[in-house]
């Protein structure tokens, strides 16, 4: 049957609202009379003990209504999502600069913010641990080390014809969502509370608000219509502000808004983990990798947060698309005195993948070959297993690489670049093709579940609810398309609404790129239940069997009779048919034994390939992205326009991470890059001059996913590794073959100049 809605480039359901400014974010929620505004006071040191807190002047300041410190928290103090370690407010130990100590609520935000300055807090200072290498050397961890291995790496390396060792430092990244962290708490009757929160994880926010207040989850309702971007930064990092607003709301009986200003947001909330990798690789004359020994170190900041799963994901992706027959992979979760690092698009995967690509690049340079040749020698072949034992099948990478190589004219451009560089002493060009193989599923098994709630009203309109949240990725429109497809009705029949914990319970964070996959299946499940009931009605009313019923063009064909969907629903209602259904889904087949570090943690892999060409000025270190070609596999795309938007956006966000965004802490542990003036995200000028993005045709997902689509939220970010490798390739043109290139990420002008000057000395 031809598709009614699936596979069509419907515009984002909120596009008109976004562009006219009508879209309502949490900050636009109309506040009840007398609503109050929060400002949060943080530590002025990075490490030490609090000796005394004097907030008397704060309390007396104009406009101030109430002030809280840790001892005012009604019940639970620790809001760590998985492990303890994240205090809502601290009253003894300080673990990072700006760590929240107290909060003020006032009649307006400016008054609250001004009052903060009147606090007198005495500390006993200790030296902060800020150097990741020092944490590695002293074995200071937030979680125990965890290893993964296959084959006999030591023997393979010892007997290999060639070996190389190296290190790679990778910087973190601020989420820089346009809408910052914000929550509103509204007290309801009988000690219940409603929270409007810009967050990816309404159930976890509900859970934490309940725990902090000492009430039940059933008494808390969290509502999330949309976020103005999240990127992983609103999985665990959104809850504290909801909790603080909730505490003030219960104390004052007023609605309370807690919205962080940009600098507070950047200082208070976790970022992408910086990493440091060490490797030893053994390989043969062709560049075939025979054995690897990898040390993968995440800088987790002061607490565990999600770091166990994040460093795990880095380990799961340090093979990227390359078969490692013999591998020793050790992951460390180091502690430093900074804000606790957290989920960010790719969830450690990008940092792991960077190591795979550097090893390939180093082998190529050592052997004097094009890195693409080394990549081809090492790509997974059908059915080969990853170091954690999951079979890679189908292995689409080689086929995709060949398609893109041809369409982007890689070989000729490579020759042209080599010639160009011979005649151009200052501007050097570089090119690189890098693949992405990204595992889809939460590696924490219980999170791979989703729920939905679908109502059909008796006028034939449909109201769709599910556990996923909208952050700009187009989840809502894709799920509406699924309903539209099943009933063959137009999209405007379906109303999309806020995600609410009182409609669909126990939801997972909208994360791990699985939003459409799991919620889509739950929605489908609910819709199919409704269809079964409608079939029963049709049989009783018209005597038709399910085979005689066809939904098409906003109509229902019942054997030879055709009536409108609207009329059919009206009749079903009058015949007392239940027109509301829940749906549920859990991802099948996946399993993983973390103790053995073996299993099949991913339902399938998402793949993409990118070729990026850059120009580097070797006197200034400035770079320009000249051309990018991307071929990405979204399976049978539910909405190609949305998916291409995700690919373009993901690539540019990755480009920012790897070329211009640099987090800097001073020697006191203070974040100095705490606003967009000192922290440079990409602008329209940084988009490649030529930017070709294509979806892979004719590749239905062989895993049984929703309409055979593939997850597309995170994987494209990692396509930007091709830009970083292209910069490294340009630098390679000024290196001798016996010199190893040491380029840190991000490849800022400064880091590029450092890499070049290391080659010259
Ligand atoms: N796209 C936009 N516009 N805004 C976002 O915040 N987050 C990314 C990705 N794409 C994000 C985005 C991240 S980190 C994830 S996990 C996925 O979207 C989540 O949505 P999905 O699972 O529905 O794809
Ligand atoms: C990928 C992810 C996440 C993940 C695992 C992945 C993620 C996330 C969690 C997580 C783990 C334990 C919890 C929790 C969340 O795991 O985003 O609340 O208790 O939040 O492989 O993206
Ligand atoms: Mo995305 S980092 O899994 O929210």
């Amino acid at each position: 049957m031809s598709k009614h809605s699936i596979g069509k480039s419907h515009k984002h359901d909120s596009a008109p609202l976004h562009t006219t400014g009508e879209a309502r974010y949490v900050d636009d929620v109309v506040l009840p009379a007398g609503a109050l505004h929060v400002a949060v006071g943080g530590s002025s040191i990075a490490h030490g003990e609090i000796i005394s807190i004097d907030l008397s002047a704060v309390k007396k300041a104009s406009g101030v209504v109430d002030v809280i410190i840790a001892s005012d928290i009604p019940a639970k103090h620790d809001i760590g999502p998985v492990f303890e370690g994240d205090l809502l407010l601290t009253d003894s130990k300080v673990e990072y600069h700006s760590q929240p100590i107290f909060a003020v609520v006032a009649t307006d935000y400016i008054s609250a913010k001004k009052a903060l300055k009147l606090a007198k807090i005495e500390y006993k200072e200790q030296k902060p641990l800020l150097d990741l290498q020092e944490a590695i050397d002293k074995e200071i961890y937030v979680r125990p080390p965890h290893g993964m291995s296959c084959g006999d790496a030591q023997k393979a390396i010892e007997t290999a014809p060639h070996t190389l060792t190296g290190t790679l430092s990778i910087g973190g990244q601020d989420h820089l969502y346009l809408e910052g962290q914000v929550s509103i708490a509204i007290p309801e009757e009988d000690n219940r509370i409603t929270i409007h929160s810009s967050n990816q994880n309404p159930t976890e926010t509900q859970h934490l608000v309940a725990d902090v207040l000492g009430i039940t989850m059933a008494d808390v309702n969290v509502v999330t219509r949309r976020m103005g971007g999240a990127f992983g930064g609103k999985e665990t990092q959104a809850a504290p502000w909801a909790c603080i607003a909730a505490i003030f709301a219960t104390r004052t009986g007023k609605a309370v808004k807690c919205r962080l200003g940009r600098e507070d947001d950047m200082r208070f909330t976790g970022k992408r983990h910086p990493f440091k990798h060490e490797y030893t690789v053994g390989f043969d004359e062709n560049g075939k990798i025979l054995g690897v020994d990898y040390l993968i170190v995440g800088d987790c900041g002061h607490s565990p947060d999600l770091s166990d799963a994040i460093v795990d994901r880095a380990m799961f992706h340090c093979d990227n698309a390359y078969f490692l027959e013999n591998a020793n992979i050790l992951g460390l979760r180091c502690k430093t005195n900074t804000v606790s690092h957290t989920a960010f698009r790719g969830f450690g995967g990008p940092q792991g993948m960077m190591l795979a690509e550097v090893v390939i690049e180093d082998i190529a340079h050592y052997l004097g070959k094009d890195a693409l040749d080394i990549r081809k020698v090492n790509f997974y072949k059908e059915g080969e297993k990853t170091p954690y034992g999951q079979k890679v099948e189908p292995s689409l990478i080689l086929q995709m690489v060949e398609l893109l190589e041809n369409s982007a004219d890689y070989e000729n451009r490579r020759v042209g670049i080599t010639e160009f560089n011979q005649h151009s002493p200052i501007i050097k060009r570089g090119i690189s093709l890098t693949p992405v193989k990204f595992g889809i599923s939460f590696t924490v098994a219980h999170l791979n579940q989703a729920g939905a709630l679908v109502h059909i009203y008796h006028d034939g309109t449909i109201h769709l609810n599910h556990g996923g949240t909208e952050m700009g990725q187009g989840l809502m429109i894709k799920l509406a398309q699924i309903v539209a497809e099943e009933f063959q009705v137009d999209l405007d029949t379906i109303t999309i609404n806020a995600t609410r914990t009182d409609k669909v319970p126990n939801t997972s964070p909208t994360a791990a790129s699985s939003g459409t996959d799991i919620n889509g299946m739950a929605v489908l499940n609910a819709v199919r239940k409704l269809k079964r009931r409608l079939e029963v009605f049709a049989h009783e009313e018209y005597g038709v069997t399910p085979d005689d019923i066809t939904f098409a063009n906003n109509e229902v064909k019942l054997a030879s009779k055709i009536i409108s969907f609207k009329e059919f629903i009206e009749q079903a209602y009058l015949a007392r048919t239940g027109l509301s259904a829940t749906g549920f889904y859990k991802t099948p087949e996946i399993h993983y034994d973390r103790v053995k570090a073996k299993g099949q943690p991913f339902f399938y892999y998402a793949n993409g390939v990118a070729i990026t060409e850059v120009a580097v000025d070797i006197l200034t270190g400035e770079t320009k992205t000249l051309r990018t070609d991307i071929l990405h596999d979204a399976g049978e795309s539910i909405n190609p326009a949305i998916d291409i938007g995700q690919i373009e956006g993901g690539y540019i966000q990755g480009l920012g991470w790897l070329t211009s965004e640099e987090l800097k802490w001073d020697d006191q542990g203070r974040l100095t890059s705490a606003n967009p003036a000192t922290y440079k995200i990409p602008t329209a000028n940084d988009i490649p001059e030529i930017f070709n993005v294509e979806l892979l045709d004719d590749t239905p997902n062989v895993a049984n996913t929703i309409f055979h689509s593939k997850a597309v939220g995170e994987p494209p970010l990692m396509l930007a590794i091709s830009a970083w490798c292209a910069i490294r390739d340009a630098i390679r043109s000024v290196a001798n073959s016996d010199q190893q290139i040491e380029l840190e990420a991000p490849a800022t002008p400064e880091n590029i100049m450092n890499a070049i000057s290391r080659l010259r000395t």
Side-chain angles (χ1 to χ4, degrees):
M1 191 169 66
S2 80
K3 296 278 195 311
H4 178 75
S5 191
I6 295 292
K8 307 238 163 90
S9 287
H10 296 287
K11 66 173 179 276
H12 193 289
D13 45 284
S14 293
L17 304 182
H18 289 153
T19 47
T20 57
E22 266 189 82
R24 283 207 190 169
Y25 295 86
V26 172
D27 200 34
D28 303 314
V29 170
V30 179
L31 293 173
L36 303 172
H37 301 264
V38 175
V40 179
S43 164
S44 59
I45 64 164
H47 191 204
E49 305 271 336
I50 297 173
I51 295 171
S52 67
I53 305 174
D54 175 2
L55 300 178
S56 50
V58 180
K59 286 179 187 157
K60 283 186 223 137
S62 125
V64 169
V65 175
D66 194 13
V67 178
I68 56 167
I69 58 171
S71 57
D72 297 314
I73 298 171
K76 204 170 179 219
H77 286 215
D78 197 312
I79 56 164
V82 190
F83 307 101
E84 301 259 287
D86 294 288
L87 294 173
L88 182 58
L89 297 170
T90 185
D91 56 358
S92 51
K93 269 183 161 174
V94 171
E95 295 275 21
Y96 66 98
H97 191 284
S98 304
Q99 183 169 5
I101 295 172
F102 67 105
V104 181
V105 75
T107 49
D108 61 281
Y109 176 69
I110 300 291
S111 298
K113 195 77 181 144
K114 277 186 179 160
L116 293 181
K117 297 205 181 81
L118 304 172
K120 294 196 186 78
I121 301 174
E122 286 181 307
Y123 307 91
K124 185 162 159 250
E125 249 189 287
Q126 285 168 269
K127 192 172 173 297
L129 173 55
L130 297 166
D131 179 27
L132 182 55
Q133 190 57 48
E134 189 183 333
I136 298 171
D137 295 341
K138 293 185 176 162
E139 301 182 10
I140 300 175
Y141 307 134
V142 294
R143 296 288 305 151
H146 177 59
M148 197 179 269
S149 66
C150 63
D152 187 341
Q154 201 188 337
K155 188 167 157 233
I157 293 168
E158 277 168 13
T159 56
H162 305 286
T163 58
L164 277 173
T165 62
T167 62
L168 173 65
S169 285
I170 305 169
Q173 186 176 24
D174 191 279
H175 302 87
L176 235 299
Y177 23 60
L178 290 182
E179 177 210 34
Q181 304 285 353
V182 54
S183 277
I184 297 169
I186 302 172
E188 306 285 358
E189 63 174 26
D190 210 8
N191 293 321
R192 291 197 290 266
I193 194 160
T194 299
I195 308 281
H196 293 268
S197 167
S198 176
N199 80 126
Q200 293 171 257
N201 200 350
T203 291
E204 184 65 1
T205 300
Q206 174 198 26
H207 180 212
L208 290 172
V209 166
D211 278 0
V212 163
L213 296 181
I215 61 178
T216 64
M217 285 175 79
D219 285 334
V220 181
N221 183 26
V222 177
V223 180
T224 302
R225 171 60 188 92
R226 62 168 65 77
M227 287 160 273
F231 310 110
K234 293 171 181 172
E235 270 187 57
T236 64
Q237 304 298 298
W241 328 112
C243 291
I244 289 173
I247 293 171
F248 278 127
T250 47
R251 284 166 68 96
T252 61
K254 297 274 167 48
V256 174
K257 183 191 283 189
C258 183
R259 188 196 61 189
L260 302 184
R262 183 60 67 180
E263 282 220 13
D264 284 348
D265 192 305
M266 292 182 81
R267 290 184 197 285
F268 290 154
T269 68
K271 307 171 195 317
R272 183 188 292 287
H273 291 58
F275 268 73
K276 187 163 185 190
H277 302 308
E278 289 176 21
Y279 78 81
T280 302
V281 58
F283 52 97
D284 68 15
E285 297 71 29
N286 300 321
K288 172 87 187 156
I289 295 172
L290 303 173
V292 301
D293 191 356
Y294 287 168
L295 180 67
I296 291 184
V297 185
D299 178 346
C300 304
H302 79 97
S303 78
D305 186 71
L306 302 172
S307 293
D308 244 5
I310 289 168
V311 177
D312 277 0
R313 196 169 263 277
M315 296 165 71
F316 284 127
H317 288 84
C318 69
D319 58 342
N320 193 11
Y322 312 110
F323 176 51
L324 302 176
E325 196 174 358
N326 302 287
N328 251 339
I329 300 158
L330 180 63
L332 304 181
R333 288 113 178 114
C334 283
K335 172 173 175 168
T336 55
N337 288 116
T338 63
V339 64
S340 191
H341 295 309
T342 194
F344 196 136
R345 207 170 193 171
F347 207 74
Q351 295 97 315
M353 235 176 242
M354 281 287 285
L355 176 58
E357 296 306 332
V358 162
V359 167
I360 293 280
E361 295 277 334
D362 280 351
I363 294 172
H365 186 58
Y366 176 90
L367 294 174
K369 293 191 174 183
D370 186 333
L372 182 53
D373 297 332
I374 309 302
R375 289 189 165 90
K376 285 183 177 169
V377 171
N378 287 291
F379 285 139
Y380 276 104
K381 290 190 198 69
E382 196 74 26
E384 280 175 341
K385 283 186 179 169
T386 64
Y388 47 92
Q390 175 155 355
K391 267 191 190 169
V392 181
E393 64 184 359
S395 184
L396 298 172
I397 288 289
L398 189 58
Q399 172 204 342
M400 292 177 68
V401 164
E402 280 167 0
L403 282 169
L404 190 68
E405 222 186 321
N406 288 331
S407 71
D409 196 23
Y410 178 89
E411 228 169 289
N412 285 327
R413 285 165 63 202
R414 162 59 79 198
V415 172
I417 288 167
T418 306
E419 265 170 33
F420 176 91
N421 286 344
Q422 279 161 1
H423 301 112
S424 175
I426 293 167
I427 305 295
K428 299 290 184 187
R429 287 194 179 177
I431 191 168
S432 178
L433 177 154
T434 61
V436 168
K437 166 184 132 284
F438 191 75
I440 301 299
S441 293
F442 289 96
T443 54
V444 178
H446 76 270
L447 295 174
N448 295 293
Q449 59 172 313
L453 175 65
V454 178
H455 303 319
I456 311 177
Y457 293 103
H458 70 62
D459 68 355
T461 59
I462 300 170
H463 178 99
L464 171 61
N465 269 276
H466 53 82
T469 55
E470 176 67 43
M471 57 194 95
Q473 85 278 38
L475 174 64
M476 299 290 179
I477 186 72
K478 285 183 171 181
L479 299 195
Q481 285 176 254
I482 291 165
V483 179
E485 185 67 32
E486 282 295 300
F487 286 126
Q488 299 280 306
V489 294
D490 291 342
L491 272 173
D492 61 12
T493 311
I494 299 153
T495 297
I496 294 162
N497 241 291
T499 307
R500 302 170 51 123
T501 56
D502 63 355
K503 286 209 169 160
V504 179
N506 309 325
T507 57
S508 293
T510 308
S513 301
S514 65
T516 302
D517 280 23
I518 61 175
N519 294 290
M521 280 297 202
V523 166
L524 188 67
N525 179 267
V527 170
R528 298 231 162 126
K529 276 190 196 168
L530 291 168
K531 280 177 114 172
R532 292 298 89 80
R533 291 188 210 152
L534 290 167
E535 281 164 10
V536 171
F537 156 72
H539 180 71
E540 285 167 359
E541 183 73 21
Y542 295 98
V544 293
T545 63
D547 289 345
D548 293 329
I549 306 171
T550 318
F551 291 89
N553 283 323
N554 302 297
E555 290 170 337
V556 187
K557 189 158 170 277
L558 304 150
S560 57
K561 191 178 163 73
I562 295 177
I563 59 174
S564 71
F565 180 78
K566 184 177 156 74
E567 198 186 333
F568 180 61
I569 292 298
E570 185 73 40
Q571 291 176 5
Y573 161 72
L574 292 173
R576 297 187 296 174
T577 307
L579 293 175
S580 172
T582 59
F584 184 77
Y585 175 74
K586 58 181 179 181
T587 313
E589 292 165 35
I590 47 178
H591 56 87
Y592 183 64
D593 179 341
R594 191 167 187 262
V595 177
K596 296 197 182 108
K598 291 282 177 221
Q600 189 184 317
F602 302 119
F603 193 35
Y604 62 92
Y605 294 101
N607 294 295
V609 182
I611 296 175
T612 303
E613 181 176 345
V614 299
V616 179
D617 181 326
I618 63 163
L619 290 185
T620 64
E622 286 165 290
T623 60
K624 195 159 181 52
T625 312
L626 301 174
R627 173 170 170 182
T628 297
D629 295 80
I630 290 172
L631 179 61
H632 198 84
D633 178 16
E636 276 183 44
S637 172
I638 290 178
N639 185 323
I642 293 280
D643 285 354
I644 285 173
Q646 285 290 294
I647 297 165
E648 291 172 346
Y651 177 88
I652 297 296
Q653 190 167 41
L655 190 68
W657 169 49
L658 292 173
T659 62
S660 73
E661 297 178 37
E662 196 170 33
L663 295 167
K664 289 269 188 192
W665 286 271
D666 66 16
D667 57 5
Q668 302 300 305
R670 203 169 156 269
L671 185 71
T672 54
S673 53
N675 62 52
T678 48
Y679 182 82
K680 302 298 284 177
I681 63 166
T683 67
N685 286 327
D686 299 302
I687 292 169
E689 284 171 9
I690 303 171
F691 196 13
N692 301 318
V693 177
E694 299 277 349
L695 297 176
L696 183 64
D697 276 340
D698 305 322
T699 55
N701 195 343
V702 296
N704 187 15
T705 55
I706 183 78
F707 290 106
H708 303 290
S709 64
K710 284 191 184 178
V712 74
E714 295 165 288
L717 180 131
M718 288 154 267
L719 295 169
I721 296 173
S722 61
W724 187 84
C725 286
I727 292 171
R728 218 168 175 273
D729 183 61
I731 296 172
R732 190 176 154 186
S733 68
V734 296
N736 300 325
S737 66
D738 60 345
Q739 285 180 310
Q740 220 163 320
I741 297 158
E742 288 174 54
L743 176 65
E744 287 175 26
T748 57
E750 191 179 351
N751 283 337
I752 289 170
M753 292 318 294
N754 285 338
I756 291 171
S757 58
R758 277 194 281 265
L759 292 172
R760 286 182 174 147
T761 51

